[in-house]
Amino acid sequence: MNTITLNDGHRIPAIGFGTYEAKDQEVYEAVREALRAGYRHIDTAALYQNEEAVGKAIKDSGIPREEIFVTTKLWNDAHDYGKAKVAFQESLDRLGLDYIDLYLIHWPNPLALRDQWQSANRETWRALEELVETGKVRSIGVSNFMVHHLEALLESARIVPAVNQIRLAPGVYQKEVVDFCRDKNILLTAWAPLGRGELFQHPVMLELSQKYGVTVAQLSLAWSIQEGFVPLPKSVTFSRIRENIDLPDILLSEEDKLKLREITVENRALDPDTVTF
């Protein structure tokens, strides 16, 4: 598994395994299979309600803890200095781990804090920075943050976010925030990198997957990696779990990378300032 060095010096595997909407025995078996297939980066969140099963799968895999990179996320009900520390410890306990590799603020502007998101994020981030000092978390970052959210956070942050996890896929290229993060050396990780289903019938995807001799999923992931993103594909189907990590050694042309960036899709990124949660 190739790795990428984060801005804090820690290394993150170049592809991760997503677990959104998978729970209980299903997510346990999927994570076990992902680890058997070669994944070494597992992405979960308090919201997913599967941290306990994910942690058990990691423990039961027999793979040394230091070889597995674990990401989890703080939910919207804990955007506060004290609440963030409690929520982190609860995630750590559910996972059954001694430390978490990457802890993210899941969304920048919860509905309940819409008129005070700047101060809420500032105090939450202060808590995360102190957690880094304890050694209970190695790296900290954010998720679904746009440029104005990042700019506000950076006004007071002592630690620059290592990661911003946002919606990125062929046809969903959030240029403004991508450019900003690249300028600040904040790594972009991509949730829903396979396009939530619609890419599998898209004519451009079908054309280029045939051209390169790969599946549509493999084409999507190759595009993400060659754009410099860390994709987080999710599946509970064993054959697809293995297909998604068994990427052929292909190099997309610049023309085809741009074509994939600009295809038209219906499933766009959510606006974090208008989401209703």
Side-chain angles (χ1 to χ4, degrees):
M1 173 64 68
N2 293 331
T3 59
I4 298 169
T5 302
L6 298 170
N7 60 21
D8 60 8
H10 294 296
R11 299 188 68 83
I12 184 172
I15 186 170
F17 183 71
T19 63
Y20 178 55
E21 293 185 329
K23 295 181 183 178
D24 304 325
Q25 190 66 19
E26 181 182 57
V27 76
Y28 173 83
E29 296 293 349
V31 171
R32 287 292 307 275
E33 180 64 14
L35 292 169
R36 281 191 292 265
Y39 290 87
R40 291 297 181 266
H41 175 187
I42 308 298
D43 181 272
T44 182
L47 173 69
Y48 302 169
Q49 298 180 3
N50 63 14
E51 288 171 313
E52 187 173 353
V54 168
K56 186 176 188 300
I58 289 170
K59 179 180 179 181
D60 291 351
S61 73
I63 298 169
R65 168 67 184 95
E66 62 272 15
E67 294 183 15
I68 303 175
F69 189 101
V70 179
T71 298
T72 193
K73 311 177 193 75
L74 177 88
W75 185 236
N76 293 352
D77 58 2
H79 280 224
D80 169 84
Y81 175 81
K83 289 180 180 178
K85 287 195 170 183
V86 171
F88 173 83
Q89 188 61 49
E90 289 174 346
S91 282
L92 192 65
D93 292 344
R94 285 191 293 266
L95 285 160
L97 302 175
D98 295 326
Y99 68 92
I100 289 171
D101 295 276
L102 177 63
Y103 195 49
L104 307 178
I105 299 176
H106 206 153
W107 287 89
N109 193 354
L111 181 62
L113 300 170
R114 197 123 295 172
D115 60 347
Q116 54 184 326
W117 62 265
Q118 296 96 329
S119 59
N121 286 341
R122 181 169 61 248
E123 289 304 297
T124 302
W125 193 252
R126 183 164 67 91
L128 268 58
E129 290 175 326
E130 292 182 7
L131 287 168
V132 172
E133 295 168 358
T134 69
K136 288 185 176 181
V137 61
R138 300 278 175 87
S139 301
I140 53 177
V142 296
S143 180
N144 301 298
F145 274 52
M146 299 297 100
V147 171
H148 59 288
H149 305 125
L150 289 164
E151 287 176 333
L153 187 67
L154 290 173
E155 288 178 3
S156 59
R158 291 184 292 112
I159 298 176
V160 175
V163 162
N164 187 12
Q165 183 179 131
I166 64 175
R167 177 77 204 289
L168 292 164
V172 185
Y173 185 86
Q174 302 189 66
K175 186 178 188 305
E176 183 181 15
V177 67
V178 167
D179 290 347
F180 184 89
C181 288
R182 285 174 173 166
D183 182 65
K184 300 296 183 183
N185 195 25
I186 299 170
L187 180 71
L188 289 152
T189 58
W191 63 265
L194 303 182
R196 291 187 156 181
E198 67 176 305
L199 293 181
F200 292 92
Q201 300 302 321
H202 196 288
V204 174
M205 299 298 296
L206 294 171
E207 171 198 342
L208 292 181
S209 64
Q210 185 175 23
K211 174 181 176 179
Y212 288 98
V214 296
T215 67
V216 167
Q218 290 171 333
L219 177 69
S220 300
L221 297 174
W223 173 84
S224 189
I225 290 168
Q226 289 174 39
E227 286 281 5
F229 311 143
V230 171
L232 305 168
K234 176 253 177 174
S235 180
V236 294
T237 303
F238 284 11
S239 60
R240 290 175 184 161
I241 289 171
R242 291 184 172 274
E243 174 190 309
N244 290 342
I245 199 172
D246 186 22
L247 296 179
D249 187 16
I250 65 169
L251 182 63
L252 302 175
S253 70
E254 289 300 317
E255 178 183 1
D256 288 339
K257 278 172 53 179
L258 183 61
K259 186 182 294 186
L260 291 172
R261 186 186 297 184
E262 296 181 344
I263 64 173
T264 300
V265 297
E266 294 182 5
N267 200 322
R268 309 297 302 173
L270 298 175
D271 179 354
D273 291 321
T274 61
V275 292
T276 56
F277 46 79

